[in-house]
Amino acid sequence: METIEGSTVRNRKAQQKKPPKSEEETTEVRDENLSSNERHQRPSDEPSSKKHEDDDDDGKEGKRSTSTPEKDERDVENDRFSVTVNLQFNGATVGLFLLSFLTRFYRIGYPGGVVFDEIHFGKFVSLYLKNTFYFDQHPPLGKLLIAGAAGTAGYSGSFEFPKIGSEYDASVPVFALRFVPALCGSLLAPIVYSILRQMKLGQGISLLGGLLIVFDNALLTHSRFILVESILLFFAALGILAILKFLQAEPFSARWWTQGTIAAISLTAAVCVKFVGFYSYLLAVYMMGRHVWQELPDRRRSSIYLTLKVLAMATLVLCVSAAIYLGCFYVHFATLYKAGPHDTVMTSAFQASLEGGLASITRGQPLRIQHGSQITLKHTHGRVCWLHSHPHVYPIKYADGRGSSHQQQVTCYGFKDVNNWWIVKRPEKEGLMVGEEPDYIENGDIVQLVHGVTSRALNTHDVASPMSALCQEVSCYIDYNISMPANLLWKVEILNSKDSSGKWFAISSQVRFIHVNTTAALKFTGEQLPDWGFNQFEVAADRRQYTIDTIWNVEEHRYTQHSDKKEVLNKLLTTEMIPTERTRLSFWNKFYELQMKMLLHADKVEGHMYSSEPHEWPLMDKGIAYWIDADSNAQIHLLGNVVLWYSATIAIALYVAFLVFYLIRRRRQFYDLEPAEWARFRMGGEILLVGYLLHYLPYFFVERTLFLYNYLPALLFKILLLCFTIDHTQMVLRKFVSSRPKLAGLFWAFVGVWFAGVLYFFRRYSALSYGMTALSADDVLELRLKDTWDLIVHKP
């Protein structure tokens, strides 16, 4: 280090004697005259060759500074205390945006009917504009942005999006609804170009990366409709670009804080569009950890400095992320304040907080539960259903040969029904009516639950449940005069008893019923019963009490009435009533409940004719039919650019081969790459390859229906790695086979032919991306390169 610093000083003196004469010399002098602090801030894996220094940030091409060394040093010193706004428009990024804009917005109003998942996202947008609550397993930002654009265009949300292919009426602003996804898809190409430039790739390779984004058919198709993947990709890519700039900026400078804030906003916005955006967020955390790890060996930085830097980075990212995520849901709740078709997914308390919701249904009902209360018990978390029974009994033997108690069935039913009513009874009391003095049930009390229609009490015993053999069967007890004693006693355990001083309230109290004899808890198992159980859901008793599936709440409530008790009932009903207006639920209560529902409320895995498995995605074994014209075979089908997808898959294998080769050689102490080159090669793999694997491998462990579009985030990193591999290959050829210049020429000729193939495939299959070309049956068959491609032929 001392020798290097001394050399720098001597070079600085020589530079002062003779100013640079050319643009290239000016650049070299500027790099040599970096202060020791600024040199230290350059990441160890950043290349230092002249070629890549000449290819610095996007806006620097053709605009090199000719300032003196003394002025440069003053600028570096004052960077912490100045704010500079510098707007630059690079020709490559502008050109890529315009080209991408033209391909995405070309006749964007076609087709004038519902395309694929527009049937879902269009409904969500309409519900936003009608302020009607809906439930979706993904965060709301993408739908909010689309709704904002549609609302600005005057759309009222009147269209119902009944089915795929339904024609939009005149009230639907199709351009406005598809504007945000198309705009985000148009911005993706220049962002990819900037990411590659930030990673010190040449301008030509970076431009190639942007063009590959433009000319991929899958990215084009998905950007043109009311879908959110293009919004997700835009925010994820912008966040990665901002993180790269953040890590290369002077710590604690205005640029450092700004880029860190932009990165946190963008990455959190990706999570707010779809939860899979968390993989991009995780990649950014990995990049920051990698950056800090590489700084640790430098003893010129004190431990206090590094600790403060890490704390500042973590505080900035976490605070901004929390603000964006919470703010997104705050707008979501503020917009959706009316009851709707999806609010039954939520708890009764949540429903009661919506205008025209459960509060209007339960208006006038008593608030506190007591002996003689008639109640319906709703499963609080997960699938919406109510504790239910009917006169039918369990079969004597199940299909697997196990025997049952042959008692009355108890299930969980997903619809409101008269058989959902139960009466709360004190074990020591004979009657079921309320008394003159209220006998309120509180936390820890022992009760019986009597089915209202059949008058049989809820029971469980040491008999295996029909579907969940490790749990106990739950039934309504029938006295067959045999040696099977009744087990009818249940302990009321109110989970949020501190909020109600131990009192049991309708709507708000979350209750667990613990069986006295066996200590098992009443549980919704999620298993569907066979035909003998009318395909309703199983209820069992589980000794593992502390799960969310054992939590219930009273939704509807009334007192058991008798003609002699009218005065008592009138007194009770006038003193304890649920408010007739909406109940007030805090933002934090709503936020927590919705997060739990989004994470845990998973639909049953269902097959789909266009679903696919993760191992089929890299080679695109299956596409998705989005739309077909009623009068011809013109259709929109989600297919990627085969030339690009296959070559990008090969590039992953080639990069890994390079990596293994270099590691073996370095183990043998043969160092083929200079330290800066090796650090740069590792940086590409550690960011891009890890990014690809993070966005791809988790899908192998997902138990739900998957489609080809789930692969698009991984595809983004695969294209980036393809460009990185091309750049490294040409560097290897230039460095190690310089004696054969024709080989390098052949390589670039091959790249040119390959890119021509990308363009040819894009043009040929754009008929399936736009859906404007009338196709004959023979045309469709010619486009079908694989037997697994389910292109549609419904006209001769």
Side-chain angles (χ1 to χ4, degrees):
M1 279 297 180
E2 292 178 358
T3 304
I4 293 174
E5 290 176 357
S7 174
T8 303
V9 172
R10 289 195 296 273
N11 289 337
R12 182 179 298 164
K13 291 181 178 179
Q15 179 59 38
Q16 290 174 349
K17 293 179 181 178
K18 185 177 180 180
K21 295 182 179 181
S22 66
E23 185 177 296
E24 182 177 355
E25 291 172 351
T26 302
T27 303
E28 293 174 2
V29 169
R30 184 186 63 185
D31 291 342
E32 290 171 356
N33 281 280
L34 292 172
S35 66
S36 61
N37 177 53
E38 192 173 10
R39 280 199 310 275
H40 169 73
Q41 291 303 316
R42 175 182 295 165
S44 61
D45 58 358
E46 183 178 321
S48 58
S49 63
K50 293 180 181 179
K51 173 187 179 301
H52 294 294
E53 289 296 333
D54 288 339
D55 288 338
D56 204 359
D57 287 340
D58 300 347
K60 293 183 180 178
E61 289 89 47
K63 292 187 178 182
R64 298 295 184 187
S65 172
T66 56
S67 60
T68 63
E70 291 82 355
K71 185 176 184 296
D72 286 342
E73 289 177 358
R74 288 196 302 272
D75 291 343
V76 171
E77 292 172 358
N78 294 331
D79 187 47
R80 298 171 187 259
F81 308 102
S82 63
V83 177
T84 304
V85 178
N86 186 16
L87 298 177
Q88 295 179 336
F89 295 92
N90 178 267
T93 55
V94 173
L96 285 170
F97 171 73
L98 292 177
L99 181 60
S100 190
F101 185 90
L102 291 174
T103 58
R104 271 64 180 167
F105 279 88
Y106 174 66
R107 294 188 63 183
I108 195 173
Y110 183 88
V114 180
V115 176
F116 192 54
D117 274 352
E118 285 188 340
I119 192 173
H120 301 300
F121 293 108
K123 286 179 180 178
F124 295 151
V125 169
S126 294
L127 291 171
Y128 267 123
L129 296 173
K130 292 186 291 188
N131 306 114
T132 302
F133 181 83
Y134 73 87
F135 174 80
D136 185 31
Q137 288 181 286
H138 295 291
L141 181 59
K143 284 92 70 178
L144 273 171
L145 293 174
I146 297 173
T152 303
Y155 178 52
S156 63
S158 58
F159 191 74
E160 296 295 331
F161 294 85
K163 63 180 181 178
I164 297 175
S166 299
E167 292 295 320
Y168 291 123
D169 58 39
S171 67
V172 181
V174 181
F175 177 86
L177 284 165
R178 295 174 178 172
F179 174 80
V180 173
L183 179 63
C184 291
S186 303
L187 291 168
L188 186 61
I191 292 175
V192 165
Y193 167 85
S194 300
I195 289 174
L196 294 172
R197 294 294 286 149
Q198 200 66 32
M199 297 182 72
K200 309 305 177 184
L201 269 67
Q203 188 173 21
I205 296 292
S206 302
L207 184 60
L208 174 65
L211 291 173
L212 293 179
I213 296 295
V214 175
F215 295 122
D216 180 69
N217 299 75
L219 293 175
L220 167 66
T221 303
H222 221 70
S223 298
R224 288 175 47 82
F225 305 109
I226 312 173
L227 307 170
V228 298
E229 265 68 21
S230 62
I231 306 175
L232 167 68
L233 293 176
F234 164 73
F235 283 123
L238 182 62
I240 297 301
L241 173 61
I243 279 289
L244 288 170
K245 292 185 175 183
F246 172 61
L247 297 179
Q248 295 179 18
E250 176 72 15
F252 307 109
S253 65
R255 182 172 183 267
W256 188 80
W257 290 106
T258 302
Q259 292 296 340
T261 302
I262 294 173
I265 291 174
S266 301
L267 292 166
T268 309
V271 179
C272 290
V273 173
K274 271 193 168 185
F275 277 131
V276 293
F278 177 72
Y279 299 136
S280 300
Y281 197 99
L282 195 61
L283 176 62
V285 173
Y286 168 78
M287 291 167 64
M288 290 189 290
R290 175 184 179 276
H291 173 78
V292 172
W293 182 259
Q294 290 177 336
E295 278 196 323
L296 291 180
D298 193 338
R299 299 296 295 275
R300 292 178 299 176
R301 293 297 188 189
S302 67
S303 299
I304 295 177
Y305 171 85
L306 292 174
T307 301
L308 290 176
K309 181 178 177 181
V310 170
L311 289 176
M313 292 169 65
T315 303
L316 172 64
V317 172
L318 292 177
C319 289
V320 173
S321 297
I324 296 299
Y325 193 77
L326 292 173
C328 179
F329 279 93
Y330 183 86
V331 174
H332 178 71
F333 291 134
T335 306
L336 304 180
Y337 56 84
K338 295 181 180 178
H342 294 80
D343 59 17
T344 54
V345 175
M346 312 306 291
T347 63
S348 301
F350 193 106
Q351 289 179 262
S353 70
L354 299 173
E355 181 181 298
L358 188 63
S360 63
I361 299 173
T362 59
R363 182 173 300 160
Q365 73 178 24
L367 181 60
R368 288 190 62 181
I369 312 301
Q370 66 161 310
H371 169 82
S373 289
Q374 298 178 12
I375 62 174
T376 61
L377 285 167
K378 181 182 179 183
H379 178 235
T380 304
H381 297 290
R383 181 175 291 275
V384 178
C385 62
W386 289 264
L387 188 67
H388 177 94
S389 186
H390 41 237
H392 303 276
V393 296
Y394 290 110
I396 296 176
K397 284 193 174 183
Y398 301 122
D400 59 2
R402 290 186 298 114
S404 78
S405 65
H406 202 47
Q407 295 278 313
Q408 181 172 305
Q409 296 176 17
V410 173
T411 65
C412 205
Y413 190 43
F415 300 93
K416 296 197 174 185
D417 186 271
V418 67
N419 282 311
N420 296 348
W421 285 94
W422 300 81
I423 302 174
V424 179
K425 179 181 180 297
R426 290 281 192 188
E428 62 274 12
K429 290 190 175 183
E430 291 297 327
L432 297 177
M433 280 76 69
V434 296
E436 294 183 0
E437 293 296 327
D439 184 6
Y440 294 125
I441 309 297
E442 298 188 354
N443 185 42
D445 286 355
I446 306 299
V447 300
Q448 294 175 343
L449 295 176
V450 180
H451 188 237
V453 174
T454 64
S455 298
R456 290 171 180 153
L458 191 70
N459 177 84
T460 187
H461 38 222
D462 194 15
V463 175
S465 189
M467 308 301 295
S468 305
L470 297 179
C471 296
Q472 297 174 183
E473 177 194 85
V474 172
S475 63
C476 279
Y477 180 71
I478 304 174
D479 187 4
Y480 287 124
N481 294 317
I482 59 176
S483 57
M484 181 176 282
N487 292 273
L488 311 177
L489 302 181
W490 299 84
K491 179 182 176 182
V492 176
E493 184 178 294
I494 302 175
L495 276 65
N496 53 346
S497 61
K498 291 182 179 179
D499 300 334
S500 60
S501 301
K503 300 171 183 176
W504 186 5
F505 290 108
I507 305 293
S508 60
S509 293
Q510 296 187 1
V511 183
R512 184 178 282 127
F513 295 96
I514 308 298
H515 190 244
V516 173
N517 291 21
T518 63
T519 70
L522 187 69
K523 177 183 179 180
F524 163 79
T525 67
E527 298 293 333
Q528 196 164 9
L529 297 172
D531 291 341
W532 56 257
F534 306 97
N535 301 116
Q536 297 173 16
F537 291 93
E538 180 189 45
V539 171
D542 193 343
R543 285 186 170 86
R544 296 169 296 179
Q545 302 174 2
Y546 303 106
T547 69
I548 61 172
D549 290 325
T550 61
I551 302 174
W552 306 80
N553 72 272
V554 173
E555 183 172 273
E556 295 181 72
H557 177 216
R558 61 187 180 222
Y559 290 134
T560 304
Q561 297 185 10
H562 190 278
S563 59
D564 297 333
K565 307 295 183 182
K566 284 185 178 180
E567 295 298 327
V568 176
L569 289 173
N570 288 334
K571 181 179 178 181
L572 290 170
L573 293 173
T574 54
T575 55
E576 299 237 64
M577 304 284 284
I578 289 182
T580 56
E581 69 276 0
R582 284 190 293 159
T583 58
R584 300 300 173 187
L585 203 63
S586 71
F587 165 77
W588 295 108
N589 288 334
K590 286 185 175 182
F591 176 78
Y592 174 76
E593 179 177 333
L594 186 57
Q595 298 306 301
M596 295 298 294
K597 293 288 187 180
M598 291 166 68
L599 293 172
L600 300 176
H601 185 87
D603 294 329
K604 279 287 192 181
V605 178
E606 298 177 359
H608 193 284
M609 65 179 299
Y610 292 109
S611 64
S612 53
E613 297 299 323
H615 69 270
E616 299 176 296
W617 298 341
L619 300 181
M620 202 167 54
D621 289 338
K622 200 168 186 179
I624 310 173
Y626 274 17
W627 174 86
I628 186 165
D629 185 50
D631 301 321
S632 71
N633 292 318
Q635 58 192 282
I636 296 173
H637 207 91
L638 184 70
L639 288 172
N641 191 309
V642 167
V643 178
L644 172 57
W645 284 44
Y646 276 56
S647 54
T649 301
I650 294 171
I652 293 175
L654 183 58
Y655 179 87
V656 173
F658 271 128
L659 179 61
V660 172
F661 173 78
Y662 290 140
L663 289 174
I664 293 174
R665 293 274 293 175
R666 293 174 77 85
R667 189 64 177 171
R668 297 285 296 163
Q669 299 188 10
F670 293 104
Y671 302 99
D672 303 293
L673 301 179
E674 298 294 330
E677 293 172 340
W678 169 244
R680 179 170 170 269
F681 178 81
R682 285 178 52 222
M683 177 185 69
E686 291 179 6
I687 294 176
L688 303 181
L689 182 59
V690 169
Y692 173 76
L693 296 177
L694 272 176
H695 288 80
Y696 178 49
L697 294 182
Y699 284 106
F700 284 93
F701 307 97
V702 172
E703 295 183 358
R704 62 180 174 85
T705 305
L706 298 172
F707 296 91
L708 183 63
Y709 61 73
N710 294 121
Y711 189 61
L712 295 182
L715 175 67
L716 172 64
F717 288 92
K718 189 162 78 166
I719 292 175
L720 289 167
L721 188 60
L722 168 64
C723 297
F724 192 89
T725 305
I726 292 174
D727 181 77
H728 184 74
T729 303
Q730 64 89 18
M731 185 277 293
V732 170
L733 291 174
R734 185 180 67 249
K735 183 173 182 178
F736 297 105
V737 290
S738 56
S739 59
R740 299 181 182 179
K742 291 184 179 180
L743 190 60
L746 288 174
F747 172 76
W748 285 113
F750 172 79
V751 171
V753 172
W754 165 79
F755 184 67
V758 172
L759 295 178
Y760 170 78
F761 189 95
F762 173 79
R763 182 179 179 278
R764 178 171 173 77
Y765 282 82
S766 61
L768 299 179
S769 298
Y770 291 104
M772 301 176 188
T773 306
L775 302 172
S776 66
D778 291 337
D779 293 334
V780 175
L781 293 176
E782 287 180 6
L783 291 172
R784 191 166 176 255
L785 294 182
K786 288 188 169 187
D787 292 338
T788 53
W789 287 7
D790 297 323
L791 303 184
I792 300 174
V793 177
H794 74 157
K795 295 289 182 180

